[in-house]
Amino acid sequence: MEVRLLGPVEIWADGRPVEIGPPQRRHTLAALAVDAGRPVTIEALAARVWDEPPPTAGRVLQVHITHLRRLVAPVRLLRRSSGYVLDVAPERVDAHRFADLIRQARDADPDTALTLLRTARGLWRAEPLDGLKGSWVERSRHAYREQYLAATVAWGLAELRAGHPLAVLGPLTELAAEHPLTEPLADVVIRAYAAAGRPADALAYYAEFRRRLAEELGVDPSAPLQALHQAVLRGETTAPAQVTAVVPAQLPADVPGFAGRGPALRALDDLLTETAMAVAVVSGTAGVGKTALAVHWSHTVRSRFPDGQIFLSLRGFDPTGQVVSPQEALRSLLDALGVAPERVPPTLDAQVALYRSVVAGRRLLLVLDNARDVEQVRPLLPGTATVVVVVTSRAHLTGLLAGGANSVPLGLLSKLEAEELMVNRLGPEVVAHRDALDQVIAACARLPLALAIAVARTRQTNFPLAALAAELGEASDRLTALEVGDPASDVRAVLSWSYAALSEPAARLFRLLGLAVGPDVDVPALCSLAGRPKLDLRELTRASLVTEYLPGRYSQHDLLREYAAELSRRDDPEEDRRAATVRLLDHYLHTAYAADQLLNPTREPIVLPLGEPAAGASPERPEDLDAAMAWYGEHRAVLMAALREAAAIGLDRIAWQLAWALDTYSARKGHLHDQVEAWQIAIEAAGRLGELPARAYGHRNLSQADTRLGRFGEANDNLTRALELFTTVGDRIGQARTQHHLAYLSGQQKQHATALEHARLALALYAGTDDRTGQAEALNAIGWYHALNGEFEQTLSPCRQALELFEADDDLHGAAGAWDSLGYAHHHLGQLAEAIDCYEHGLALARTLHHDGFIADLLVHLGESHHAAGQPAAARTAWTEAEQLLKALDHPGLAGVQESLRRLE
C-alpha cells in the first residue's frame, strides 16, 4: 500500500488505486500522511482540514478516520492520547520518498545521484495535493513546489555533468517560465544551452533574465551569473559546479483572518521600490499585532525574494530576560545562510563582515522580530540594497529612523478593522449581534491579541456573543486597578477571563508554562515540568493561550508567558515552583546525557556524576545516533537557555553537567561559540561549588573551542590553569589529557616538535592508569606528529599500537583517526597501495559516524594517494565527493580540493 500526495491524493494497493471518497476524506488522509509515522494532534488535524474548524470538527474527523482505517489496511491508523498516527513507513508516502531520494543524491557519487534524481522527479505526477483547498494545503503545496524546484536544478546539473544537455532543455525552460526570477534555475538553463552548442540562445536567455530582474526587482544578476555570462561570451566551457547555495524559507505560517492595516501594508510595500538598503521599523505596544503584520506582508511578497526569507526572533522583551545578543543573532543568520558554524569568526566585527559578504547581491527578505533596542539590531543590517529588512519592536528605535529606516507605527485596530477581524474569524453572522459585538471589541480595547483570545474562547465553547460580552465586562471591572494607561494592560482582563474558564489541570499547566526556559517547549519536557506522565494541551490551544507552532512543540506570546509567570508567582508555593523548575532542568540534563552516550560512548566518565532525575521528571532516551543528533538539533537553543537558567538560580551542579552533556554535540557540529559560553558558565559554577576537578575539566574543554576559533592565547591560558588544577588534585589522567590538548594546540600553530613532546608527556602520564582510550589517543598523536615532522617510519609503530587499542574497545572515531595517520605515513613512504587501503578503512568507519568533516578529510587524502598511484579516475571520484561535502560545510579546504580537480583536467 502507498499514499500519493504529489498529484491528486490517492491510495494505491496491489497496483491499483483505491476509491477514497469525498474531498474532505482525502484532505484528512493527506493531513495524516505528511507526518507518516508521527502522531498528529486533533487540533493540528482540524486546522489542516479546515481554515476555521467547526464545532463538530472532532466528530467529522472520527467518521473520516473510521473509513480510512478500512481503506489503508493492513496499515494501521492508530489513536493516540493527543491525536492520530498513520503507522506507515514514510517511504510508503511519495512525498517522503521524494525528499529521501533527494537527500541520498546529495551524498552519492555522480552516477548514483543522477539515477536517484531521475527517480525522484518521476514521482511528481501533477500539482501536489491536487483537488484540495485551504491555507494549510497552499502552504504545503508551496513547500513541495520549492522542493521540486531545487530537485530539478540538481537533476539538470547532474545530467549536464553526464553530457546530456538535450535531455534537460525542455523541462528546465518549462520550469523557468513558472519561476522567471529564480537565479539557480537561470544558471543551469544557460549552461544547458551552451553545452548543447547553442550559445546564442544562452546569451539571449541571460539578457531576458537580466531584463526581468531589472523591471520587476530593480536589480542586476548576481556576480556568479554575470561571470557565467562572460564565460559564454568567451566560448569557454561552462561545466556545472555543484549547487549548494542555501535558500532559507523561514517565515512562520500566515495569520488566519488577518484584517485591516491598509496604511501599514502600503508603507511596507514602499520598501520594494527603495534603491538603497530598505529597512522598516514596525513599532507599537505589546499585543498590537506587529509580528502578525510583518509575517502577513512577508507572505504576500515572498516571491520577490528568490534567495530566501529569514525570520529571526530577537526576544527583546522575553519575560525570562534571555534577550538574543547580536553575536547569537549573527550566528543564527549565518547558519540560515548555510555558513558552517566553525567558520564563524570569534569577534562581533568579523562576524558582521562575514555576514555582509555572504548576503551581498542576494535577494533576501529579513524579518527581525521583537527587537529590544538599536544596539541589538544595527549589526544585523546587511548593508546591501538587495536585502529588505523589517524590524518589529515595542520601542521606536529612533536611531534606525535617523539612519534612514522607514517608520511604520502600529496603533490599536480601528473599530471597523476590529469588526473585520471578528467577522473573518467567527463568520458574517456575528454582525447581527451588533451590541454584543461592540461590547466585546470595547472590552478587548481593540487589541488584536485580546480579540484573538476572545474569539478562540467563543469558538471553543460555542458561547453566545452576548454572554461573552457580559463575562468580559465583569473581568474588566475586577482588574481596573491593574490598568496603567497602556492598552496592552487591558489584555489582562481578557486573559483573566479566559484563564478563569480553564479546568484546574489546564490552569495549572498554563501557570507552569511561565517557568519554561528557552524559546519553546515540547510535550515530553512539559510532562516533566508538570510532573505528569501525560498531558492534554487541547484546552490551552483551543483558548489560544499556547500555540503549537510545530508538531509537538509549543510557544507563547510574551504577554501570555509573562501573565502565566505572574499567576504562578501569585498562586503557586515557592517550593512547588522550584520543584517544577528542577524537574524541567533534570529532564533536559538526563536526556542530553543519554544522547551524548550515543554520540560518544567511549568518553571519559563525567566528573560530577548525575544522580537520579527529580521525582516526576521523565527524561527521554533517544533510540540511536541519528535520533540523538536530531534531538540535539531541535533543542540546542533550549539547552543553552536551561544551562543559563540553572546557573542563574543557583543550581550550579546542573549547570556544569549541562555544559558537559552539550560538549560532544557542539564540537561535532562546530557550534564553538556555544562551547565557549557553556564552559565559561560551567567554570564559574564549579568555582562556587568548590569542585577543583570540575573547574580543571572546564578550563581544558574551553581550550578546545578556543583553539578551533584560533584564539591560541586564551587556549594556552586555559590549559595552563587546567594543568595546575589537575596537578593540585593529583589527577594523572586529567594531566595526561591536558598534555594531549597542549599537543593539539601546538600542532594548530605548526609547532610540530613541541606538539610531539606534549604527546609523549601525555603517554607517560597515562602509564599505570587504566585509561586505554587516552593511551590510544596519545600513541596516535605521537605517530601523527612524527609524520608532520617528516619522520614517517617512526609514525607506523605507535599508530598501529593505537589502532589495536581503539579496535579492541570498538572506538570507531579513534580507529578512523589511526587509519588516517597510517595512510598519511604510507603515502609519504611511497607505499601507495597500503595508503589507499588505510584510507578506505578509515573512510568506512567515518561514514558510520556521520562525521562529514572527517569523511571529507579522508577523501582528500585518498584522492591524493590514487593520484600519486596513477589512478586519475579514482582520484576524481574521491575528490568530487570531498568537494561536495566541503561545499556543504563551507570549509576553507574547498579551494585546495578544487585545485586538485583542475589538475586532472
Side-chain angles (χ1 to χ4, degrees):
M1 194 280 293
E2 66 172 325
V3 179
R4 298 183 177 183
L5 305 179
L6 301 179
V9 177
E10 297 175 343
I11 298 173
W12 279 64
D14 300 323
R16 295 190 302 273
V18 175
E19 176 59 38
I20 298 176
Q24 203 171 78
R25 191 167 300 151
R26 288 188 287 118
H27 203 146
T28 305
L29 173 64
L32 291 164
V34 294
D35 281 314
R38 297 196 300 263
V40 181
T41 65
I42 298 292
E43 288 76 12
L45 196 56
R48 292 174 182 181
V49 176
W50 294 277
D51 286 349
E52 297 290 336
T56 59
R59 292 196 297 274
V60 174
L61 287 173
Q62 285 180 344
V63 171
H64 289 315
I65 286 169
T66 298
H67 285 282
L68 287 172
R69 279 199 176 104
R70 293 196 295 268
L71 297 176
V72 301
V75 170
R76 297 179 300 170
L77 209 171
L78 304 176
R79 181 73 166 92
R80 291 287 183 258
S81 59
S82 59
Y84 294 91
V85 57
L86 182 62
D87 190 22
V88 62
E91 60 265 24
R92 295 285 191 90
V93 180
D94 61 354
H96 292 288
R97 191 158 68 253
F98 176 85
D100 187 56
L101 288 166
I102 303 306
R103 283 192 294 269
Q104 291 179 50
R106 294 191 191 110
D107 299 327
D109 62 81
D111 290 340
T112 304
L114 179 54
T115 300
L116 292 168
L117 290 166
R118 286 171 175 169
T119 304
R121 292 187 72 251
L123 296 173
W124 195 274
R125 296 171 293 122
E127 185 79 345
L129 307 176
D130 197 21
L132 303 186
K133 298 179 180 179
S135 58
W136 174 79
V137 169
E138 285 304 317
R139 291 195 300 272
S140 302
R141 190 174 286 145
H142 173 77
Y144 289 140
R145 287 176 185 142
E146 293 295 316
Q147 291 178 19
Y148 180 73
L149 174 61
T152 301
V153 169
W155 164 76
L157 291 169
E159 293 281 12
L160 291 180
R161 290 190 197 95
H164 308 144
L166 295 178
V168 302
L169 269 174
L172 287 176
T173 52
E174 181 179 340
L175 189 62
E178 299 174 19
H179 301 273
L181 301 176
T182 300
E183 189 158 288
L185 186 55
D187 178 283
V188 71
V189 169
I190 292 168
R191 292 181 190 278
Y193 274 128
R198 298 166 58 181
D201 289 331
L203 295 172
Y205 186 88
Y206 174 86
E208 176 62 18
F209 182 75
R210 181 181 182 183
R211 183 192 63 77
R212 284 196 299 267
L213 287 182
E215 289 184 356
E216 298 191 34
L217 302 180
V219 297
D220 289 326
S222 68
L225 198 65
Q226 293 182 42
L228 174 61
H229 174 240
Q230 292 300 314
V232 175
L233 282 172
R234 293 191 298 268
E236 296 175 358
T237 178
T238 57
Q242 182 74 20
V243 172
T244 58
V246 174
V247 179
Q250 298 182 344
L251 294 178
D254 200 355
V255 182
F258 187 86
R261 303 304 196 191
L265 291 169
R266 288 191 291 274
L268 291 174
D269 284 339
D270 290 342
L271 294 176
L272 303 176
T273 63
E274 294 280 350
T275 55
M277 184 179 68
V279 180
V281 177
V282 180
S283 59
T285 189
V288 81
K290 301 181 295 295
T291 302
L293 172 72
V295 169
H296 177 72
W297 178 79
S298 297
H299 275 281
T300 67
V301 299
R302 65 183 179 186
S303 62
R304 306 286 295 270
F305 301 95
D307 292 326
Q309 311 91 39
I310 300 176
F311 181 93
L312 179 63
S313 174
L314 299 177
R315 299 170 61 192
F317 297 88
D318 190 294
T320 66
Q322 294 185 353
V323 178
V324 176
S325 69
Q327 291 93 331
E328 289 178 276
L330 280 165
R331 293 199 293 271
S332 294
L333 291 172
L334 289 168
D335 184 57
L337 293 163
V339 177
E342 59 189 27
R343 293 289 311 282
V344 178
T347 66
L348 177 61
D349 287 346
Q351 290 171 9
V352 170
L354 175 60
Y355 164 62
R356 290 177 177 168
S357 297
V358 170
V359 301
R362 297 181 69 172
R363 292 176 299 285
L364 288 163
L365 174 61
L366 175 60
V367 180
L368 301 174
D369 188 49
N370 200 5
R372 185 174 188 84
D373 50 38
V374 173
E375 288 69 27
Q376 188 186 26
V377 173
R378 201 184 299 280
L380 312 181
L381 300 181
T384 174
T386 60
V387 180
V388 169
V389 183
V390 178
V391 185
T392 75
S393 179
R394 297 185 197 178
H396 291 294
L397 305 185
T398 52
L400 293 185
L401 302 181
N406 298 324
S407 176
V408 185
L410 211 58
L412 300 174
L413 294 172
S414 69
K415 187 173 182 299
L416 286 176
E417 288 175 326
E419 184 176 309
E420 182 186 352
L421 185 150
M422 298 288 285
V423 169
N424 288 350
R425 299 287 184 91
L426 293 175
E429 61 272 15
V430 299
V431 179
H433 307 279
R434 171 61 59 188
D435 290 344
L437 180 61
D438 290 346
Q439 290 174 41
V440 169
I441 290 172
C444 291
R446 306 196 313 280
L447 194 70
L449 176 63
L451 287 166
I453 293 170
V455 165
R457 172 74 173 136
T458 306
R459 287 170 50 195
Q460 175 186 352
T461 59
N462 204 21
F463 231 34
L465 205 60
L468 180 148
E471 288 206 3
L472 273 176
E474 293 172 9
S476 183
D477 290 341
R478 290 197 304 271
L479 285 153
T480 299
L482 292 177
E483 296 178 5
V484 292
D486 179 358
S489 67
D490 292 343
V491 78
R492 278 192 173 87
V494 180
L495 292 178
S496 67
W497 160 74
S498 194
Y499 172 74
L502 295 174
S503 65
E504 191 281 327
R508 176 177 180 269
L509 182 57
F510 177 71
R511 296 196 304 273
L512 287 173
L513 282 166
L515 303 178
V517 297
D520 56 55
V521 63
D522 61 10
V523 173
L526 276 174
C527 288
S528 290
L529 179 66
R532 305 279 175 83
K534 293 182 179 180
L535 289 176
D536 186 347
L537 277 81
R538 286 177 296 178
E539 195 173 345
L540 294 181
T541 55
R542 284 197 298 261
S544 289
L545 294 175
V546 68
T547 300
E548 187 179 16
Y549 81 105
L550 288 173
R553 300 186 70 82
Y554 295 84
S555 63
Q556 286 181 301
H557 187 283
D558 288 352
L559 282 177
L560 291 171
R561 194 165 178 182
E562 187 174 346
Y563 183 65
E566 179 183 295
L567 290 174
S568 183
R569 289 190 296 269
R570 186 191 73 186
D571 297 342
D572 297 325
E574 179 58 32
E575 59 270 23
D576 290 354
R577 289 162 43 77
R578 179 83 170 185
T581 299
V582 171
R583 287 194 301 269
L584 180 67
L585 296 177
D586 261 0
H587 172 90
Y588 291 130
L589 170 61
H590 284 264
T591 305
Y593 182 86
D596 183 82
Q597 298 301 292
L598 292 167
L599 267 62
N600 196 357
T602 61
R603 187 178 181 183
E604 61 187 305
I606 186 169
V607 178
L608 297 180
L610 276 66
E612 292 296 315
S618 49
E620 301 172 79
R621 293 197 66 84
E623 295 180 358
D624 52 30
L625 176 62
D626 288 342
M629 290 295 287
W631 184 86
Y632 270 120
E634 292 170 357
H635 293 81
R636 174 185 156 214
V638 176
L639 289 168
M640 289 299 297
L643 192 158
R644 299 181 194 110
E645 176 71 6
I649 63 175
L651 296 174
D652 290 320
R653 190 178 185 89
I654 291 178
W656 191 95
Q657 291 166 333
L658 277 167
W660 188 94
L662 269 165
D663 195 61
T664 302
Y665 172 77
S666 297
R668 293 264 177 96
K669 298 300 288 184
H671 296 305
L672 306 179
H673 299 277
D674 284 2
Q675 276 186 293
V676 168
E677 181 185 359
W679 283 117
Q680 286 174 338
I681 293 173
I683 290 167
E684 294 175 0
R688 291 189 291 270
L689 290 168
E691 291 280 358
L692 295 187
R695 282 179 59 200
Y697 189 99
H699 281 292
R700 192 182 72 205
N701 277 38
L702 176 56
S703 77
Q704 282 289 89
D706 283 333
T707 301
R708 291 179 66 186
L709 284 167
R711 305 194 312 198
F712 299 138
E714 292 90 336
N716 187 70
D717 291 344
N718 276 301
L719 287 172
T720 300
R721 185 62 180 137
L723 196 57
E724 291 172 354
L725 291 168
F726 280 126
T727 302
T728 299
V729 298
D731 185 344
R732 285 177 62 88
I733 291 177
Q735 295 172 59
R737 289 193 178 277
T738 305
Q739 290 290 350
H740 191 117
H741 283 53
L742 283 163
Y744 175 67
L745 173 60
S746 299
Q748 292 299 106
Q749 297 175 87
K750 310 301 182 185
Q751 301 166 359
H752 302 313
T754 303
L756 181 58
E757 288 305 310
H758 283 300
R760 286 173 170 157
L761 285 170
L763 184 61
L765 286 163
Y766 280 125
T769 73
D770 59 358
D771 191 336
R772 289 162 54 92
T773 297
Q775 293 170 26
E777 289 174 346
L779 284 164
N780 189 50
I782 288 170
W784 178 246
Y785 291 119
H786 269 307
L788 294 182
N789 278 320
E791 301 158 351
F792 303 112
E793 286 284 359
Q794 293 167 267
T795 296
L796 299 177
S797 177
C799 288
R800 285 169 179 157
Q801 294 176 59
L803 182 60
E804 289 178 10
L805 289 170
F806 284 133
E807 290 184 336
D809 292 341
D810 287 329
D811 187 337
L812 303 185
H813 190 276
W819 281 116
D820 186 37
S821 300
L822 288 166
Y824 187 84
H826 282 302
H827 177 96
H828 286 85
L829 288 168
Q831 301 162 354
L832 298 176
E834 291 88 341
I836 290 169
D837 184 62
C838 290
Y839 287 137
E840 287 179 341
H841 273 91
L843 191 57
L845 295 175
R847 290 190 194 281
T848 68
L849 296 168
H850 305 284
H851 198 319
D852 289 351
F854 202 178
I855 293 169
D857 287 342
L858 284 157
L859 285 166
V860 170
H861 296 160
L862 177 61
E864 289 167 352
S865 293
H866 278 306
H867 186 255
Q871 300 166 354
R876 182 182 300 280
T877 298
W879 283 338
T880 299
E881 184 182 353
E883 179 190 32
Q884 293 170 352
L885 289 169
L886 293 173
K887 277 186 176 180
L889 294 169
D890 192 26
H891 195 281
L894 175 62
V897 175
Q898 292 175 328
E899 177 58 33
S900 297
L901 284 167
R902 282 192 288 272
R903 294 206 314 264
L904 296 176
E905 295 176 356

